Amino acid sequence: MKKKISQIDQLTGKISRRTMLGGAATAAVAIVQTASGKTIQAGVSVAELLPDDPTKQVGTLAGEVGTRSTFEKLVKKPSDISSRSPLQDFYGIITPSDLHFERHHAGVPAIDPTKHELLIHGMVDKPLIFTIADLKRFPSVSRIAFLECSGNFRTGKETMSPQDVCGLTSQSEWTGVKLSTLFREVGVKPNASWFLAEGSDAAVMTRSIPVKKGWDDAIIAYAQNGEALRPEQGYPVRLFLPGWEGNTSVKWLRRIELSDQPYMTREETSKYTEPIKAGKYRQFSFDIDARSIITFPSYPKKVEKGYIEIRGIAWSGRGRVVRVEVSTDAGKTWSLATLQDPVLDKAHTAFRYLWQWNGSETEIMSRVTDETGYTQPTLKQLVDARGSEVGYHFNPITAWQIKADGRVLFKPE
């Protein structure tokens, strides 16, 4: 308070004539200028004296929806076809629904849920059409799991944040009906081994999916983080395939057709295949490989000498994370990080490592091992195995440079 009052002289010129004449709740006297430029003494109210003191004024009343603090600047980075989640700004493992990454091929359709239907046909005993109301009458299931675009890798310059490098991954609690429940309703024929999932967007997105995945853990999701899906996430209903590359979780789902072979659509022939050596391309590589990234400290943060809690997330499409290691000496040595519960199947897992920085330049990085024994590779190991043409399913160890002045920069390779 004394400090505030001592700064009263600095308020000269910022106080209105109305305040001068009001006289109510005067807290101090200041030297001010009138509208005509005359310098006089005037009383200053508590509100004028302490404009940023929340205990001196009634706050905003409740609204119909919550709002984020104006001091928090969490935003996606949109382009014509995608938006990237600000991984460096999150706490915990659930992505706020409005900050979930997006990837679409022809914009976001506006769909009336009362008119939307899901057709299941092909190699089934009884083709059926389900309305959204029909789907919600079946027993539901909720599951926390990540979703990631198979093209989630960028590099090239030091001024890149986790959002820039791999912001096409997010995690939500997904709620809906198991696809296996609907399979039983229509009666899938024994020789049906694939199904086509088709969306209602202008691109009519389609992917061929092995029927086994449908029986195992596929969800026809209509809710995300406790509310209806956002339009950008497939409202009113989408397919959700835990652990598989994001494009297979077809949004705005309108049709499932069962067959005894894949359909070889554009998205699985000319698109979403990744180059390997000798001019060959890999097709139907559904699983997301294990990956981790340090989200703090990372660009554009600046750190000081002393203790720093290194934080990040790790995940695998093939199961649970069992170990995350952190290196603070550019990969020469590695130490175990602490995993934050819950450690869920096919889910983002938070990790922490307490580090005392002595002010010397170095590099910090993380690598994850999942329950299959797979350990996140270096970029060199990926290139050695698959060639230099960077495509889908690139999950290299990511390093951050710590400069002597505390700047944190991405290490492009």
Side-chain angles (χ1 to χ4, degrees):
M1 177 67 77
K2 290 181 179 177
K3 183 179 179 181
K4 287 283 185 182
I5 293 176
S6 69
Q7 294 173 339
I8 194 66
D9 287 343
Q10 299 176 15
L11 294 174
T12 301
K14 297 181 179 178
I15 300 171
S16 69
R17 176 178 173 80
R18 180 178 180 182
T19 298
M20 290 188 297
L21 300 177
T26 299
V29 175
I31 305 299
V32 300
Q33 286 187 328
T34 66
S36 62
K38 183 179 180 181
T39 301
I40 62 171
Q41 288 186 329
V44 181
S45 71
V46 171
E48 291 265 30
L49 184 60
L50 302 170
D52 58 348
D53 185 347
T55 69
K56 304 304 180 187
Q57 54 188 332
V58 177
T60 304
L61 300 179
E64 292 185 339
V65 295
T67 58
R68 195 163 286 129
S69 168
T70 56
F71 296 98
E72 298 294 325
K73 305 298 182 187
L74 284 74
V75 293
K76 292 180 290 187
K77 284 192 173 180
S79 68
D80 291 343
I81 57 173
S82 67
S83 294
R84 310 177 75 83
S85 281
L87 302 179
Q88 66 280 355
D89 296 325
F90 294 155
Y91 302 94
I93 57 174
I94 297 295
T95 304
S97 296
D98 62 346
L99 295 172
H100 194 289
F101 89 86
E102 300 166 20
R103 176 72 173 90
H104 43 76
H105 299 79
V108 179
I111 298 176
D112 182 344
T114 64
K115 300 177 181 176
H116 190 75
E117 296 174 334
L118 171 61
L119 165 66
I120 301 182
H121 67 136
M123 297 180 70
V124 299
D125 296 330
K126 184 176 57 176
L128 290 173
I129 294 175
F130 301 93
T131 66
I132 300 301
D134 291 335
L135 296 175
K136 291 182 177 177
R137 277 200 290 271
F138 286 104
S140 62
V141 61
S142 292
R143 175 170 185 171
I144 295 174
F146 75 88
L147 189 65
E148 181 176 13
C149 174
S150 59
N152 190 23
F153 173 68
R154 281 184 178 178
T155 185
K157 57 183 180 181
E158 293 182 323
T159 54
M160 295 177 74
S161 67
Q163 182 174 22
D164 299 317
V165 176
C166 64
L168 295 179
T169 185
S170 300
Q171 177 151 284
S172 295
E173 180 190 51
W174 306 95
T175 298
V177 56
K178 290 182 178 179
L179 181 54
S180 59
T181 300
L182 303 185
F183 276 178
R184 292 187 184 92
E185 286 294 307
V186 298
V188 174
K189 293 186 180 298
N191 54 340
S193 53
W194 291 79
F195 69 87
L196 183 78
E198 181 180 271
S200 298
D201 57 331
V204 192
M205 177 71 181
T206 50
R207 283 304 312 261
S208 298
I209 310 295
V211 166
K212 183 177 184 305
K213 183 66 173 176
W215 286 112
D216 285 349
D217 58 2
I219 297 173
I220 306 299
Y222 46 74
Q224 173 189 15
N225 295 337
E227 62 177 353
L229 291 175
R230 300 282 172 124
E232 297 87 348
Q233 297 307 319
Y235 181 85
V237 68
R238 72 176 300 166
L239 180 64
F240 180 69
L241 304 179
W244 282 24
E245 60 181 23
N247 65 79
T248 61
S249 289
V250 175
K251 297 189 283 189
W252 314 292
L253 186 67
R254 70 174 184 179
R255 188 168 73 93
I256 289 177
E257 181 179 358
L258 289 104
S259 175
D260 57 0
Q261 56 187 311
Y263 288 78
M264 298 298 180
T265 70
R266 184 187 78 116
E267 307 300 341
E268 52 213 33
T269 51
S270 67
K271 309 295 181 185
Y272 296 117
T273 59
E274 61 268 14
I276 54 178
K277 286 186 173 178
K280 296 182 178 180
Y281 280 73
R282 188 167 64 180
Q283 191 179 22
F284 297 127
S285 49
F286 295 121
D287 291 315
I288 289 290
D289 299 312
R291 191 172 189 179
S292 70
I293 185 169
I294 291 172
T295 54
F296 180 85
S298 60
Y299 178 80
K301 296 294 185 184
K302 193 171 183 178
V303 295
E304 298 179 352
K305 286 194 294 186
Y307 283 105
I308 297 172
E309 184 183 65
I310 295 174
R311 301 189 292 271
I313 53 173
W315 63 97
S316 172
R318 296 190 176 89
R320 288 179 170 79
V321 167
V322 295
R323 181 171 69 250
V324 175
E325 299 164 283
V326 170
S327 175
T328 57
D329 57 7
K332 297 182 181 68
T333 62
W334 295 85
S335 301
L336 282 178
T338 300
L339 302 184
Q340 171 67 59
D341 288 332
V343 180
L344 302 173
D345 181 47
K346 300 168 186 171
H348 284 176
T349 299
F351 67 85
R352 298 184 174 90
Y353 179 76
L354 190 60
W355 173 46
Q356 187 172 21
W357 182 46
N358 62 11
S360 300
E361 286 197 7
T362 188
E363 294 173 11
I364 61 173
M365 59 192 76
S366 63
R367 67 183 181 192
V368 59
T369 300
D370 68 20
E371 63 181 344
T372 71
Y374 176 93
T375 297
Q376 185 180 6
T378 63
L379 183 59
K380 182 178 184 305
Q381 288 172 322
L382 280 169
V383 171
D384 287 346
R386 294 166 49 187
S388 59
E389 187 178 351
V390 176
Y392 299 108
H393 290 272
F394 258 65
N395 60 323
I397 292 172
T398 300
W400 301 100
Q401 307 168 77
I402 310 295
K403 299 296 185 181
D405 61 3
R407 287 178 301 140
V408 184
L409 300 172
F410 176 59
K411 182 185 178 184
E413 295 183 72

